[in-house]
Amino acid sequence: MLPCLGRKWMRLSTRNLKPTWNLINVVDASKTIVRGISGGAETIAKERVDTVVIGAGVVGLAVARELSLRGREVLILDAASSFGTVTSSRNSEVVHAGIYYPPNSLKAKFCVRGRELLYKYCSEYEIPHKKIGKLIVATGSSEIPKLDLLMHLGTQNRVSGLRMLEGFEAMRMEPQLRCVKALLSPESGILDTHSFMLSLVEKSFDFMVYRDNNNLRLQGEAQNNHATFSYNTVVLNGRVEEKKMHLYVADTRFSESRCEAEAQLELIPNLVVNSAGLGAQALAKRLHGLDHRFVPSSHYARGCYFTLSGIKAPPFNKLVYPIPEEGGLGVHVTVDLNGLVKFGPDVEWIECTDDTSSFLNKFDYRVNPQRSEKFYPEIRKYYPDLKDGSLEPGYSGIRPKLSGPKQSPADFVIQGEETHGVPGLVNLFGIESPGLTSSLAIAEHIANKFLR
């Protein structure tokens, strides 16, 4: 496996490496990094590369694009068979304005800046999107102080156009809505996430690595010749040697039931961006030489969506959000670009998830139809005409959170050498909502701060 990847990087570089493909075993990085490395034919192939981005979700794709536009040769690795298969494809597809987050937090800064960049990008590259606006609603007098706080936060975060509405004003905009007060955010919107991610791929890739009859092949046309994608490729672990990170990678066909797996290629990059999403912390713990003190604890919250059936037209034209709840923004209503109405996500904390499960994305994404019993009363607080039996199971996603139940919400964490002391390693932890909106701003930040 990975011979095509090796040949690709030989073509990009001036080195004339002749890789060998005898496999070795890789075990837990906290104990032994590799077993059986020796010289000659027994050694797995080594490749010196410029930049490796681990994770082809929307943030990883944005980072890869930005780095490649700045002249870096970027290798993007993902264990899945395509891009954006996990959190990036299991969300509300909402462009957030930047209201909810503490002033000067990374979430606030990146959401506001990212929204500007995202709308500009979507307009320039004709990505389907629509700035439909959002109403955050108070359905009782006890919620009005919380709505006032959101108005205050949004103003401090320099979100433009915010306006507090009386209930009758909001219900005039949305006749099926019921509320006593509402915060109007005209900058909020929706977009086609898949089209956005596909565009990021097209604007950055040279050749795409894909599987054909259990072999890796290359396809695609050169665009700017600075990025290569390798899917079905897992980073098993790594180690720091001579101030460089060495990564051990393999085909994802390794046995998920075993503690050991076979490395097939050793990569020696100048820069590594760990954008592995749900598995970012688990991967970081496999990097020998990175002090685990700098790896924050992981918490996971499942969110389910239900779609609205039996309607001729969507009941709302704008996004409608309740007051935020612990762990999320509440069961809100979204109308996508195809007119599909969906409600969610709720918050279900996932307990006892070990590092191996998160590393391999062994989460249960099934939607239990009985969860709709909790959706109906929450939705009817602002949409009282919701009919019994009209909610159908949609999909679910997992939030990669850094704070758990009863804890204060945590900010994004972006770590470089100045924090953990490992040269050329950038870790992205807890990139949950508003990660999609923030993606281009996160990429801009990483390029500005970590490129030398």
Side-chain angles (χ1 to χ4, degrees), residues 438-452:
S438 303
S439 57
L440 295 176
I442 292 173
E444 180 183 66
H445 171 78
I446 289 174
N448 288 339
K449 185 172 182 178
F450 298 108
L451 286 189
R452 299 174 179 175

Side-chain angles (χ1 to χ4, degrees), residues 99-101 134 136-137 143 146-147 150 153 321-332 347 409:
I99 296 170
Y100 301 96
Y101 319 108
K134 175 198 291 187
I136 306 174
V137 300
E143 294 181 333
K146 297 179 181 178
L147 200 62
L150 292 177
L153 286 174
Y321 278 58
I323 297 298
E325 61 180 338
E326 181 190 275
L329 300 181
V331 175
H332 51 264
V347 177

Side-chain angles (χ1 to χ4, degrees), residues 88 90-98 100-101 111 114-115 118-119 129-134 185 187-193 196 305 318-321 329 332-337 342 344-345 395 433-439:
S88 298
R90 295 175 172 274
N91 57 69
S92 299
E93 296 189 295
V94 167
V95 181
H96 290 288
Y100 301 96
Y101 319 108
C111 187
R115 168 174 48 80
L118 185 55
Y119 278 138
H129 71 288
K130 193 172 183 181
K131 194 184 293 188
I132 62 176
K134 175 198 291 187
S185 170
E187 290 298 314
S188 302
I190 55 176
L191 82 159
D192 183 337
T193 304
F196 174 49
Y305 293 83
K318 299 183 183 301
L319 305 166
V320 178
Y321 278 58
L329 300 181
H332 51 264
V333 57
T334 304
V335 182
D336 70 16
L337 292 164
K342 52 191 176 185
Y395 59 95
S433 180
L436 170 60
T437 306
S438 303
S439 57

Side-chain angles (χ1 to χ4, degrees), residues 403-417:
S403 56
K406 309 300 182 182
Q407 297 178 355
S408 299
D411 199 6
F412 294 154
V413 171
I414 299 180
Q415 295 177 344
E417 181 181 357

